[in-house]
Amino acid sequence: MTATPYTLHCRSTECNARCGEIATLHGSVRTPVFMPVGTQATVKAMTPENLLEVGAQIILGNTYHLYIRPGQELIRSFGGLHRFMHWDRPILTDSGGFQIFSLKELAKITEEGAAFRSHLDGSPLFLSPEDAIHVQEALGSDIMMALDTCIPYPATRDEVARATALTARWARRCREAQSGTGQLLFGIVQGGMYPDMRLAALEQLVEIGFDGYALGGLSVGEPKELMEEMLAAVGHRLPATHARYLMGVGTPEDLVEGVYHGVDMFDCVMPTRNARNGMLFTSQGRLVIKNACFQQDQRPLDETCGCYTCRHYSRAYLRHLFQSREILAYQLNSIHNLHYYCTLMAGMRKAIEEDRFLAFRRTFYEQRTESV
Amino acid sequence: MTATPYTLHCRSTECNARCGEIATLHGSVRTPVFMPVGTQATVKAMTPENLLEVGAQIILGNTYHLYIRPGQELIRSFGGLHRFMHWDRPILTDSGGFQIFSLKELAKITEEGAAFRSHLDGSPLFLSPEDAIHVQEALGSDIMMALDTCIPYPATRDEVARATALTARWARRCREAQSGTGQLLFGIVQGGMYPDMRLAALEQLVEIGFDGYALGGLSVGEPKELMEEMLAAVGHRLPATHARYLMGVGTPEDLVEGVYHGVDMFDCVMPTRNARNGMLFTSQGRLVIKNACFQQDQRPLDETCGCYTCRHYSRAYLRHLFQSREILAYQLNSIHNLHYYCTLMAGMRKAIEEDRFLAFRRTFYEQRTESV
């Protein structure tokens, strides 16, 4: 294994929170970081310039979706996803495992890989661990994820043991399939809701050696307390020398708790999806823009927010756009929500650097008790 | 009547094309000009900054839609449409006549005004000529339009005569209802497809005295040749001292012919609506982005185009976005099409200033014989 791309800058003296950076082919990423999700080679309703303006450092692309449409060979012909979609900062691609898992009856997992049917036209497809790497190499992402088998919640120890063992064998095959492109490869720690099995899975991955380690299979329907229990048990046990990534999580509260437990990276569709559904994040809590109380409200969404939307538009206007189903509603709401997420992360980085993370966390929760 | 807000800068020696400018409360507009349509207080899928970048000088708002939602009183509470929607350049509002006319069986026209039902919830509403002015004064547009009665195509001389006479009486009531806000008021010349009736209608409007004159009731289903016949007969007869506006028109070819006949202002949903349907305008003609031939096409939409979309994105990427129904498709396509329209107008202005409009028009048609 080569040198770790992660550099630790500082750590909280009060908890496991830490600041650092990850070096990639397209520049470095300051952590803790939130990665906006760009499933189909676009973060929905956002231009790349909008992403830079809200403070996004790295975005996520979905291997499963891009493999199905437009196909990795088309993207390879552009020299990769960056040029195809006009984004020259880092990109992380997932492995496709979670999406295939979500297909349920359309997917069949064997030792060799995952057989599944396209959600678009039902055509039969197959993805082995080696394929997952080759597709991600064609996409040219900066950080690739090993193909994992996801575990439904709830699951018995036996089910979890079988899936976790297969994930470990697939992880090794992924590592061996890499062809020296300089792209990073992260391993994914499964293990269901059994801390001991997660720690055992982690040990196997560390033995293979990855450029970073992710926690998969959380936020899949389990109670909030259970996820936090896993985080508390496993988060700080992920190698301190490497980037730690909590996949598919989550709410602003989840991000604060994840950082508290030593996580460096997050991704979630929540800020963009909620934006399109008219649910906006503010420093004081959530705001549902269609509510009649905002009909004549000349204030911005959040008076403490400096995003493009809050600088120029009122709640009344945003409500009008949303009620009228105007595309600009999705644009302005997405800008605001992603700005909120990225600014929250920047705030946490600063608090950690100044070693006042617990105070930051306390203030974060206090503000949110008010109603908007 | 006060001094005309229109200043003539130069006229073609070869045809009726002319360049000038219109002074408004929010600055002046160079003509000939195309006005993007912002029906519901937003030009669909465009931010105001996008509009400035594509070269838009003035936009159009729809009185009917804004009257129904969010209501003119809400917009008045913001000091007008400009601040409500974050656009500080000129705005023209139509009178609502055309939209009410489009409601057909939901509308009933009497001497007093138009009774109609909301297309949103069916509630009964009424708009008199005076109401149309008061609503537009609440909206705070720079250019208001008099309430007119539209005439279906085809229509008999009798039908046209009745509607045109009513339009003239309403025009006078509109002029008298104005309360000295400094907003301009344009009259609308109806008259169906009868040139003599249009000239008679024009004479009545000129007697009342307006700040500009519009041709209404064209491009309502009549053959292209008939519209051009009307334009040729009436376009250059509109007072040369005032701005001339051809309402709701049209294709790029229509704009070139309108300018040829002396028209200064145009508006149409075509560039934005077609953008959302995947039909893009290029210097060589129309391009349907979903076509399979663009699947691997790394070229921009139009190699001669300098818009944001053409500077950064390929036809293959735009096709992928469109096929994936991504919101960014509507954004990028709208930017391109409006840039095309605004650039076409700028090209015509320059050609008129250099007195080579006929050569410009010839080249315009020659380029478009090629297929994209």
Side-chain angles (χ1 to χ4, degrees), chain A residues 4 6 35 164 174 245:
Chain A
T4 171
Y6 177 78
M35 303 183 284
T164 305
C174 283
Y245 168 25

Side-chain angles (χ1 to χ4, degrees), chain B residues 328-349:
Chain B
L328 189 59
Y330 310 125
Q331 301 176 241
L332 297 181
N333 291 354
S334 299
I335 287 171
H336 173 80
N337 273 0
L338 282 178
H339 182 274
Y340 176 85
Y341 266 62
C342 291
T343 303
L344 175 62
M345 301 312 293
M348 288 199 272
R349 288 196 299 269

Side-chain angles (χ1 to χ4, degrees), chain A residues 223-238:
Chain A
K224 206 82 168 170
E225 297 69 31
L226 201 48
M227 181 174 96
E228 285 199 30
E229 195 184 312
M230 289 303 115
L231 255 184
V234 185
H236 68 286
R237 302 287 292 270
L238 297 171

Side-chain angles (χ1 to χ4, degrees), chain B residues 45 65 85 103 146 176 319:
Chain B
H65 289 90
M85 70 180 286
L103 294 171
E176 287 167 358
R319 180 176 187 275

Side-chain angles (χ1 to χ4, degrees), chain A residues 8-220:
Chain A
L8 177 71
H9 286 169
C10 61
R11 59 198 320 165
S12 164
T13 62
E14 309 166 315
C15 65
N16 286 306
R18 61 189 207 155
C19 276
E21 74 185 88
I22 307 165
T24 82
L25 291 173
H26 288 83
S28 76
V29 174
R30 282 159 294 126
T31 61
V33 69
F34 177 79
M35 303 183 284
V37 176
T39 299
Q40 303 191 107
T42 163
V43 175
K44 290 186 194 301
M46 298 282 290
T47 65
E49 288 77 9
N50 291 154
L51 286 167
L52 293 178
E53 199 185 321
V54 300
Q57 304 181 66
I58 172 173
I59 61 172
L60 180 143
N62 284 118
T63 293
Y64 166 81
H65 288 90
L66 297 171
Y67 169 71
I68 289 189
R69 182 175 63 191
Q72 72 275 12
E73 290 310 322
L74 174 65
I75 292 175
R76 192 204 298 275
S77 76
F78 276 79
L81 196 48
H82 294 82
R83 199 167 79 75
F84 183 59
M85 68 178 289
H86 174 50
W87 171 257
D88 64 3
R89 306 291 174 103
I91 298 176
L92 179 147
T93 43
D94 67 4
S95 64
F98 181 74
Q99 269 76 26
I100 293 170
F101 161 75
S102 307
L103 294 171
K104 295 196 171 77
E105 65 278 19
L106 291 176
K108 185 166 183 290
I109 309 294
T110 63
E111 183 67 32
E112 185 48 30
F116 58 101
R117 288 182 179 276
S118 160
H119 71 287
L120 290 182
D121 61 8
S123 59
L125 296 164
F126 185 82
L127 200 72
S128 69
E130 292 79 8
D131 294 334
I133 295 302
H134 296 151
V135 172
Q136 291 179 84
E137 287 185 344
L139 298 177
S141 55
D142 298 89
I143 303 176
M144 306 187 288
M145 300 302 298
L147 185 66
D148 60 334
T149 60
C150 297
I151 297 166
Y153 173 82
T156 66
R157 280 189 74 91
D158 263 11
E159 288 167 336
V160 171
R162 273 196 307 275
T164 305
L166 183 58
T167 293
R169 293 193 296 277
W170 282 8
R172 185 176 296 279
R173 285 167 57 189
C174 283
R175 200 50 160 157
E176 287 167 358
Q178 275 189 277
S179 54
T181 56
Q183 293 165 270
L184 306 178
L185 178 62
F186 282 20
I188 302 176
V189 178
Q190 291 288 352
M193 301 301 156
Y194 304 99
D196 63 315
M197 299 181 80
R198 285 201 172 257
L199 291 174
L202 172 59
E203 204 170 313
Q204 293 180 292
L205 292 178
V206 170
E207 198 189 304
I208 300 166
F210 286 91
D211 302 311
Y213 296 90
L215 287 177
L218 290 178
S219 199
V220 293

Side-chain angles (χ1 to χ4, degrees), chain B residues 10-178:
Chain B
C10 61
R11 57 200 320 165
S12 165
T13 61
E14 308 166 316
C15 64
N16 287 307
R18 60 187 207 156
C19 275
E21 74 185 87
I22 306 166
T24 83
L25 291 172
H26 287 84
S28 76
V29 174
R30 283 159 291 128
T31 61
V33 68
F34 176 80
M35 303 181 283
V37 176
T39 298
Q40 304 190 106
T42 162
V43 175
K44 290 186 192 302
M46 298 282 290
T47 65
E49 287 76 10
N50 290 154
L51 286 167
L52 292 178
E53 199 185 320
V54 301
Q57 304 181 67
I58 173 172
I59 62 173
L60 181 143
N62 285 117
T63 293
Y64 167 81
H65 289 90
L66 297 172
Y67 170 71
I68 289 190
R69 182 174 62 191
Q72 71 276 11
E73 290 310 323
L74 175 64
I75 292 174
R76 191 204 298 273
S77 77
F78 276 79
L81 197 47
H82 294 83
R83 199 166 79 76
F84 184 59
M85 70 180 286
H86 173 51
W87 170 258
D88 63 4
R89 307 290 173 101
I91 298 176
L92 179 148
T93 43
D94 67 3
S95 65
F98 181 75
Q99 269 78 26
I100 294 169
F101 162 76
S102 308
L103 294 171
K104 295 195 173 74
E105 66 279 16
L106 291 178
K108 185 166 182 289
I109 309 294
T110 62
E111 182 66 32
E112 186 48 29
F116 57 100
R117 288 183 178 274
S118 159
H119 71 287
L120 291 182
D121 61 7
S123 60
L125 297 164
F126 185 81
L127 200 71
S128 69
E130 291 79 8
D131 293 334
I133 295 303
H134 296 152
V135 173
Q136 292 180 82
E137 287 184 344
L139 299 176
S141 55
D142 298 90
I143 303 176
M144 306 187 287
M145 300 301 299
L147 185 67
D148 59 334
T149 60
C150 297
I151 297 166
Y153 174 81
T156 64
R157 280 189 72 91
D158 264 9
E159 288 167 338
V160 171
R162 273 196 304 276
T164 305
L166 183 58
T167 293
R169 293 193 296 276
W170 283 8
R172 186 176 296 276
R173 287 167 56 189
C174 283
R175 200 48 159 159
E176 287 167 358
Q178 274 189 278

